[in-house]
Amino acid sequence: MANDQDAARPSRPAGGKAPSLLRWIGKAAAATAGLLVAGVLALLMGIGLALAVAYPNLPDVADLADYRPKLPLRVLTADGQLIGEFGEERRNLLTFKEIPDVMKNAVLAIEDSRFFEHSGVDYRGMMRAALANLGQAKSQGASTITMQVARNVYLSAEKSYTRKIYEVLLTFKLEHLLTKEQILEIYMNQIFLGQRAYGFSTAAQTYFGKELKDVTVAEAAMLAGLPKAPSAYNPITNPKRARIRQLYIIDRMLENGFITQEQALQAKSEELKLRPSHTQPKVHAEYVAEMVRQSMVSQYGDEAYTRGLVVTTSLQGNEQEAAYRAVRQGILDYERRQQYRGPEQFITLPADKAARDEAIDDALNDHPDNDDLMSAVVLEANPGKVVAIRQDGDPFEITGDGLRPVTSGLSDKASPSIRIRRGAIIRVVKSPQSGWRISQLPEVESAFVAMDPRNGAIRSLVGGFDFQKNKFNHVTQAWRQPGSSFKPFIYSAALEKGVTPATVVNDAPLFFSATETGGKPWEPKNYDGQFEGPMTIRRALAKSKNMVSIRVLQLVGTRSAQEWVTRFGFEADKHPPYLTMALGAGTVTPMQMIAGYSVFANGGYRVTPSLVSKVVEHKGRVLYEAPAVAPSESQRAIDARNAFVMSTLLQEITRSGTAARAQATLKRPDLYGKTGTTNDSMDAWFVGFQPTLVGAAWVGYDTPRNLGSRETGGGLSLPIWISYMTEALKGVPVAEIQAPPGVIHVGNEWYFEEYGPGHGVRGLGLNDPWPGTSSGESAAGSAQEGEAGTRPAGESEDRRSILDLFRN
């Protein structure tokens, strides 16, 4: 029976469960297709939503449809060197038809061979690049020329998904509104190609000294290699790396049918004649160029960028470069004494050489050279040797003294963030004498400014260590305490009260109670913590004795001193009328300091610093020309004899005082100046002059903090000043300041006629104990404000003979 039932069942096909499996596969396929459709719809909706939200916020690109040259604002030194150019477009702009085919083809071969085929985004190229990158071959990019135009003209350099979305959307907008020819024309005119060159026309002149229409296949291939990394593939500074890329581009031109096999072979064998870099003088004056730009925009509005203005400044090219180098060297010397803060970044270096080179290029592009402070990637490191590589592809070794600044970073005990190891991005400096040395980007800042005290013409101005790193102009914008460099203005006021260079003042401790100060008790100190007893004004200023300065200010009176310093251009409200004014506790800018010291240098006149000497339109019409006039009596700030006597005191400082290094190094007597170090060594100054040139150097942190217990104006800022003056005073004859009427020279000292020996203020603070005397002995009564011109109370004839010992 059972057998009959079994016989009645239909026979099962071979494979048993196949129909069920097929049904399951069908359902799964249908579900997958549904998901894919849903995913595509979601993606399209997302794109649509992004377009709806972002598209209205995209920049207007209509102006690019009429991309025509506008004449930029150009800024020159007094000797005609270009220091800045500002404008929407560059002068050397070529139309699409004017750009030779060989240059177009070279660019298309390496940057975007399907440019005339895709609609702005090359999906095939993106897929090819993605596969190549996944395969760990040489990393390939997928940015089209249109995308690069969108990025370079309109968008910032930040790396984010939001910016990438805007880049793609803006690319579609450009492709919709502009023709392919217009887009390529814009790209080839505005792309940065190194050596301060924008656009291929300018680059052809920069690298080869010829018109773009005259470049060969070999030259076009070399230029086409620059957009990706202008520093890495610069044929002047990195010829090996540039040559490798040039050969690659020639091969790409051949593959794309732009050149023949014969042309390729000829191009590869052609010896390029590069224009020497020394024919392209560069003066580092970025802060000055920015000051001029702001001034011109304030005067002429946005037309300043388009009407072809040529602004000639009072800068001297060689002096400006000397100032720039002096500031950088001073800061780098300071950095060598600081604790190493560690590499800037760490990257992974692939084992494959091509991938490794690509990783190094990308890393160094993100950490560009800072002039002579160059970036490099470490290949190996130990306490005795570091091997690093730059974009030229040649490894180099750093040993010996070159490792001294980073000893802590090579220690086995160094923390991971500090330790120098394979993949670390570091900064290196190359010296012709000592080879390579590891350094670091400085955190400290500096400023230097110099001008002619006879007319106020600014000769040099460096507003900071690096304009690209920090655009804050410390010469004009940094309000800092001047410390002891402010003392000469207090001493100048004292001369009018009867104080002379021979006046003896007691360098003895002072204490002011909370009742006297109206706040906390104050017990000022000398920088070295030592007190030397009675000394002359001349010696006290040369040694920058704080106790003496305070006693001098007590004589002058704080209100009177506050009014007096305004004669030099200082603002009264920046210098409150307290005794701390004697120690430079107010605030000044370096520009104010050179204007103030120029009063001493030029015989008592207050001149206004000026920068622009001439403004000319592109057709030659002069819009402004600074008058060449000498100071008039209406500009007199102090009497000529005051300026002269103060100059002799400042000369003593450079001869035997805290700035004696100046005369010892420069080997000339006509140098005058004063060092300054503020409380807790937060600011370091030196301001000084030769009768034809006054300069101020400052060093400090933007957020004030201690520079170091041993760091002073004499050690930090004076070397910057000396380095600058070494160049600026070449060939300048010695010109010591001559005595004007109203002063007399007696006993090897200078006096106002009415305050000669036996007159004027003879001593200050001499009732404090003398060295070697008991506390009960009194030297002399202190002179009070209003007693100028009289003998201090209690002074005996015997005491006068003792005081005479301190006048020499």
Side-chain angles (χ1 to χ4, degrees):
M1 190 82 173
N3 290 338
D4 292 341
Q5 290 176 349
D6 291 339
R9 292 175 182 170
S11 61
R12 181 172 294 174
K17 300 181 179 179
S20 298
L21 182 60
L22 289 173
R23 284 195 298 273
W24 182 86
I25 291 174
K27 290 179 180 180
T32 301
L35 288 173
L36 286 173
V37 171
V40 170
L41 290 174
L43 179 61
L44 292 174
M45 290 177 65
I47 293 173
L49 181 61
L51 285 169
V53 173
Y55 203 83
N57 296 320
L58 294 176
D60 185 8
V61 300
D63 289 343
L64 283 181
D66 188 31
Y67 191 73
R68 293 291 179 265
K70 295 183 176 71
L71 301 174
L73 165 67
R74 305 179 77 236
V75 186
L76 312 176
T77 63
D79 47 340
Q81 297 188 63
L82 180 68
I83 59 175
E85 190 171 16
F86 303 94
E88 296 174 8
E89 290 89 22
R90 295 286 165 173
R91 183 183 296 272
N92 295 335
L93 183 142
L94 300 179
T95 65
F96 182 80
K97 291 182 179 180
E98 292 172 326
I99 302 171
D101 288 342
V102 66
M103 193 69 251
K104 296 173 190 171
N105 292 337
V107 168
L108 293 174
I110 188 62
E111 293 294 333
D112 191 355
S113 60
R114 299 184 64 253
F115 173 71
F116 285 99
E117 301 171 30
H118 61 66
S119 59
V121 177
D122 187 1
Y123 301 103
R124 188 190 305 175
M126 292 176 66
M127 184 63 69
R128 183 176 62 250
L131 292 174
N133 294 340
L134 285 174
Q136 296 185 344
K138 184 175 181 179
S139 176
Q140 297 184 20
S143 289
T144 65
I145 284 177
T146 312
M147 293 171 75
Q148 291 184 57
V149 169
R151 181 191 314 134
N152 295 334
V153 176
Y154 290 107
L155 301 175
S156 68
E158 69 164 319
K159 295 181 178 181
S160 67
Y161 291 113
T162 302
R163 199 221 63 173
K164 196 66 179 178
I165 291 172
Y166 271 90
E167 180 182 310
V168 172
L169 295 178
L170 189 54
T171 295
F172 290 142
K173 190 171 184 178
L174 286 170
E175 289 275 347
H176 176 69
L177 294 177
L178 304 179
T179 66
K180 288 286 188 178
E181 289 76 10
Q182 287 175 311
I183 294 171
L184 187 57
E185 176 185 306
I186 293 166
Y187 174 83
M188 299 193 72
N189 277 296
Q190 59 84 39
I191 193 72
F192 176 64
L193 300 169
Q195 299 288 119
R196 304 177 77 198
Y198 287 82
F200 286 95
S201 176
T202 305
Q205 286 284 356
T206 299
Y207 292 102
F208 303 116
K210 60 168 61 177
E211 298 294 326
L212 187 63
K213 63 183 177 62
D214 298 323
V215 298
T216 64
V217 172
E219 291 167 339
M222 183 67 78
L223 294 176
L226 290 166
K228 180 182 179 183
S231 176
Y233 301 117
N234 184 322
I236 294 175
T237 58
N238 291 324
K240 286 180 59 178
R241 185 66 64 85
R243 172 65 172 167
I244 292 171
R245 185 155 176 82
Q246 178 210 29
L247 295 177
Y248 176 67
I249 292 173
I250 292 172
D251 287 338
R252 292 283 296 160
M253 294 177 73
L254 178 62
E255 290 173 16
N256 284 275
F258 293 138
I259 58 176
T260 65
Q261 182 71 43
E262 182 180 355
Q263 287 176 310
L265 292 173
Q266 182 179 349
K268 289 181 178 182
S269 62
E270 181 179 328
E271 183 178 348
L272 299 185
K273 296 180 180 179
L274 294 170
R275 188 181 184 187
S277 59
H278 60 75
T279 64
Q280 307 158 46
K282 179 178 181 181
V283 177
H284 291 274
E286 293 84 355
Y287 289 96
V288 173
E290 176 59 17
M291 290 171 68
V292 172
R293 184 195 69 79
Q294 292 181 19
S295 175
M296 292 300 104
V297 171
S298 174
Q299 181 74 22
Y300 302 106
D302 288 342
E303 285 189 358
Y305 298 123
T306 60
R307 61 190 292 184
L309 299 181
V310 178
V311 181
T312 302
T313 67
S314 53
L315 291 192
Q316 297 297 319
N318 64 316
E319 293 181 23
Q320 175 64 25
E321 194 63 15
Y324 172 81
R325 294 296 168 195
V327 166
R328 289 185 68 87
Q329 189 58 53
I331 293 303
L332 292 179
D333 287 345
Y334 171 77
E335 279 296 337
R336 293 178 70 175
R337 303 191 291 272
Q338 306 312 301
Q339 185 75 16
Y340 185 56
R341 294 184 292 274
E344 295 177 24
Q345 188 181 342
F346 297 93
I347 63 171
T348 299
L349 294 178
D352 177 75
K353 185 179 184 304
R356 188 198 72 174
D357 289 347
E358 186 74 16
I360 290 172
D361 282 349
D362 290 344
L364 296 183
N365 284 336
D366 290 338
H367 297 265
D369 291 346
N370 189 295
D371 196 14
D372 52 351
L373 195 59
M374 298 176 281
S375 56
V377 176
V378 173
L379 298 180
E380 60 178 273
N382 60 62
K385 181 178 71 174
V386 170
V387 179
I389 191 170
R390 288 186 27 78
Q391 287 180 317
D392 59 10
D394 292 330
F396 58 93
E397 293 184 359
I398 310 162
T399 59
D401 288 342
L403 300 178
R404 195 182 304 276
V406 295
T407 302
S408 59
L410 292 169
S411 169
D412 291 337
K413 298 179 180 178
S415 66
S417 63
I418 300 297
R419 189 172 182 181
I420 297 175
R421 59 185 184 272
R422 180 177 172 83
I425 299 175
I426 59 174
R427 293 283 164 172
V428 293
V429 177
K430 189 174 186 180
S431 167
Q433 295 79 25
S434 56
W436 291 101
R437 171 171 56 85
I438 300 180
S439 185
Q440 57 189 339
L441 282 174
E443 293 181 345
V444 74
E445 274 293 354
S446 181
F448 183 86
V449 59
M451 80 173 191
D452 188 331
R454 299 166 295 183
N455 55 25
I458 294 174
R459 303 274 289 271
S460 307
L461 189 152
V462 181
F465 180 79
D466 179 67
F467 182 76
Q468 298 305 322
K469 174 174 169 279
N470 186 352
K471 293 178 173 56
F472 183 79
N473 190 334
H474 297 85
V475 168
T476 59
Q477 296 176 291
W479 290 91
R480 307 296 292 228
Q481 289 188 336
S484 295
S485 63
F486 197 74
K487 289 176 180 177
F489 305 110
I490 304 301
Y491 281 63
S492 171
L495 294 181
E496 301 297 321
K497 298 287 186 177
V499 170
T500 74
T503 296
V504 175
V505 185
N506 198 5
D507 176 33
L510 288 168
F511 177 79
F512 300 91
S513 67
T515 302
E516 292 174 290
T517 64
K520 296 180 179 180
W522 183 43
E523 186 175 8
K525 302 288 185 184
N526 286 322
Y527 174 77
D528 59 6
Q530 304 297 313
F531 303 99
E532 299 185 31
M535 62 177 60
T536 64
I537 285 288
R538 179 174 292 280
R539 184 163 178 246
L541 186 58
K543 300 193 74 172
S544 200
K545 290 294 185 177
N546 290 339
M547 303 306 104
V548 173
S549 298
I550 293 171
R551 286 188 163 97
V552 168
L553 181 56
Q554 285 179 309
L555 168 71
V556 173
T558 55
R559 294 283 182 187
S560 178
Q562 183 189 43
E563 185 280 328
W564 183 261
V565 301
T566 62
R567 293 168 176 256
F568 298 87
F570 299 108
E571 301 172 27
D573 62 344
K574 301 287 187 181
H575 302 274
Y578 305 121
L579 289 178
T580 51
M581 188 194 307
L583 310 184
T587 54
V588 299
T589 66
M591 187 72 85
Q592 283 187 330
M593 291 297 278
I594 61 163
Y597 271 70
S598 70
V599 176
F600 299 135
N602 63 27
Y605 300 98
R606 179 178 167 184
V607 294
T608 302
S610 62
L611 184 59
V612 175
S613 57
K614 195 173 185 179
V615 181
V616 181
E617 275 194 314
H618 73 284
K619 293 184 178 180
R621 184 163 70 97
V622 177
L623 301 180
Y624 168 79
E625 190 162 11
V629 295
S632 65
E633 283 303 309
S634 64
Q635 294 172 272
R636 181 164 293 284
I638 61 175
D639 193 78
R641 61 183 188 168
N642 187 305
F644 171 75
V645 173
M646 280 307 307
S647 293
T648 70
L649 294 175
L650 294 171
Q651 188 179 38
E652 188 67 40
I653 296 170
T654 66
R655 177 181 294 156
S656 65
T658 56
R661 182 177 175 182
Q663 290 197 31
T665 304
L666 294 171
K667 309 296 185 189
R668 54 190 302 155
D670 57 340
L671 303 176
Y672 313 75
K674 181 73 184 76
T675 55
T677 309
T678 62
N679 193 35
D680 293 329
S681 297
M682 291 187 180
D683 296 272
W685 292 82
F686 182 77
V687 190
F689 59 89
Q690 189 268 353
T692 65
L693 190 61
V694 56
W698 165 85
V699 176
Y701 288 97
D702 278 340
T703 301
R705 71 175 194 255
N706 193 292
L707 288 163
S709 59
R710 297 183 179 181
E711 303 293 353
T712 65
L716 278 176
S717 297
L718 177 60
I720 295 174
W721 188 89
I722 290 174
S723 178
Y724 169 76
M725 288 293 178
T726 299
E727 174 64 29
L729 295 181
K730 280 182 179 177
V732 177
V734 172
E736 293 189 76
I737 297 173
Q738 300 302 307
V743 297
I744 57 175
H745 193 242
V746 180
N748 204 33
E749 189 54 272
W750 292 96
Y751 302 85
F752 289 4
E753 283 182 335
E754 67 271 30
Y755 296 140
H759 302 84
V761 175
R762 300 289 301 281
L764 296 172
L766 299 179
N767 57 348
D768 295 312
W770 283 53
T773 63
S774 67
S775 59
E777 291 183 62
S778 175
S782 62
Q784 301 297 318
E785 183 173 0
E787 294 182 342
T790 64
R791 178 182 298 172
E795 181 179 344
S796 66
E797 293 300 322
D798 291 338
R799 178 59 66 202
R800 285 206 315 275
S801 64
I802 295 174
L803 293 179
D804 288 341
L805 297 175
F806 293 91
R807 293 197 179 103
N808 297 323

